Amino acid sequence: MTSIDDVMIEITPQVLLKAYACGIFPMAESAEDNALYWIEPERRGILPLDRVHVPKRLARTIRSGGFEVKIDRNFEAVIDGCAAPRSGRRSTWINGRIRSLYRELFALGHCHTIEVWQDGALTGGLYGVHLGRAFFGESMFSRARDASKIALVYLIARLKYGGFSLLDTQFVTGHLARFGAIEVSREEFQRFLEAALGGGGLAQGSGSGAAAALGGGGGGAAAAGGGAGGGAGAATSAGGASGGASFSLLSEGAGAEFVLQLVSQTSKTGCSTA
């Protein structure tokens, strides 16, 4: 976080989608802290969809099967998994307000889950936000070896098949770097985002200006107070749930080989910096 402002505004799904359209996303300090903060990193993580690398061992695991990938079946279980303590991390940034806001986005069709099930149990998954031709990855978890990685591969296949051009990872971890995730400047990210949103008004201007409009300070993070509220008009005012890309176009039962072929395909579109 680069700055914290004590301007209090009501966070609704509509406000949240407008923030995403400006390149800003919310986080909390911990599950116990009910405050939210607007985050706008100086260096942003993205995974260019036209040059994804799937490690050979993971590809063999996917081909071997033994799991089932489901889409948008159990949001609550996925966010529970993402918020659970894990090795090296006792606390989580997913607090009650985060849960409430993304639950509402899920109901509006702007938040999606990729779920990996084995023997009737949810063993890994991820969730994120869909706006225009952009997908903003929020969090992932794994209770079995490679489960979150499998979810990521199936997410990438779905995005490529559905016509997406931007996969925002927020930050780059070692886990994501192995798939080809890179860091870009704030200015580069804004260009990719504007292209993914079709140059609509919501993405115009710098993220810093957007932060000020949303009640934040210029440059990075701003306290986002107020309660979470409903927002049935969010899909319309933020550009619609699809905007030229479809998250549901790829069949839930797509075979492993087809998924791997989709992910390995290269193209001249997307947000590659090569």
Side-chain angles (χ1 to χ4, degrees):
M1 301 179 209
T2 57
S3 67
I4 298 178
D5 197 337
D6 58 2
V7 176
M8 305 293 282
I9 63 171
E10 181 184 14
I11 307 292
T12 65
Q14 182 177 4
V15 168
L16 188 53
L17 289 173
K18 287 181 178 179
Y20 274 106
C22 294
I24 308 170
F25 57 90
M27 290 187 75
E29 288 286 356
S30 69
E32 292 74 32
D33 183 356
N34 202 41
L36 298 182
Y37 301 92
W38 293 122
I39 309 297
E40 186 190 14
E42 291 280 353
R43 303 287 297 175
R44 190 70 166 250
I46 64 170
L47 208 171
L49 294 172
D50 57 352
R51 47 191 176 102
V52 175
H53 170 70
V54 179
K56 290 182 179 179
R57 187 187 62 78
L58 178 60
R60 288 196 297 269
T61 298
I62 291 173
R63 289 189 176 100
S64 67
F67 61 88
E68 184 180 3
V69 176
K70 300 180 182 181
I71 311 300
D72 293 343
R73 297 293 188 89
N74 197 329
F75 170 80
E76 298 297 336
V78 170
I79 203 164
D80 282 346
C82 291
R86 64 189 70 169
S87 177
R89 191 195 76 178
R90 293 189 297 175
S91 62
T92 175
W93 57 269
I94 299 175
N95 63 10
R97 292 180 65 201
I98 291 283
R99 287 174 178 267
S100 178
L101 279 168
Y102 288 86
R103 183 183 297 118
E104 291 183 73
L105 286 184
F106 183 77
L108 290 169
H110 277 284
C111 182
H112 297 285
T113 63
I114 304 283
E115 308 161 16
V116 178
W117 294 76
Q118 294 172 282
D119 300 322
L122 179 65
T123 58
L126 59 82
Y127 76 96
V129 174
H130 171 193
L131 190 62
R133 293 188 297 126
F135 189 89
F136 306 86
E138 281 297 316
S139 188
M140 61 174 62
F141 77 99
S142 186
R143 297 188 183 118
R145 182 175 179 175
D146 291 336
S148 63
K149 297 176 184 176
I150 292 169
L152 179 59
V153 169
Y154 274 75
L155 169 68
I156 293 166
R158 184 164 293 272
L159 299 183
K160 294 184 75 167
Y161 196 78
F164 287 76
S165 63
L166 175 62
L167 172 52
D168 170 36
T169 67
Q170 299 179 348
F171 305 101
V172 176
T173 64
H175 173 84
L176 293 169
R178 286 190 286 271
F179 286 86
I182 60 173
E183 282 188 343
V184 297
S185 69
R186 182 182 295 169
E187 293 72 22
E188 288 177 295
F189 181 78
Q190 285 292 327
R191 289 197 296 270
F192 295 142
L193 180 58
E194 289 182 17
L197 298 181
L202 284 174
Q204 292 175 359
S206 70
S208 300
L214 288 166
T236 300
S237 61
S242 59
S246 172
F247 192 82
S248 60
L249 195 59
L250 181 64
S251 168
E252 189 177 73
E257 200 61 48
F258 181 60
V259 165
L260 289 170
Q261 288 177 0
L262 271 176
V263 172
S264 65
Q265 286 177 354
T266 59
S267 69
K268 295 182 180 180
T269 61
C271 54
S272 172
T273 60

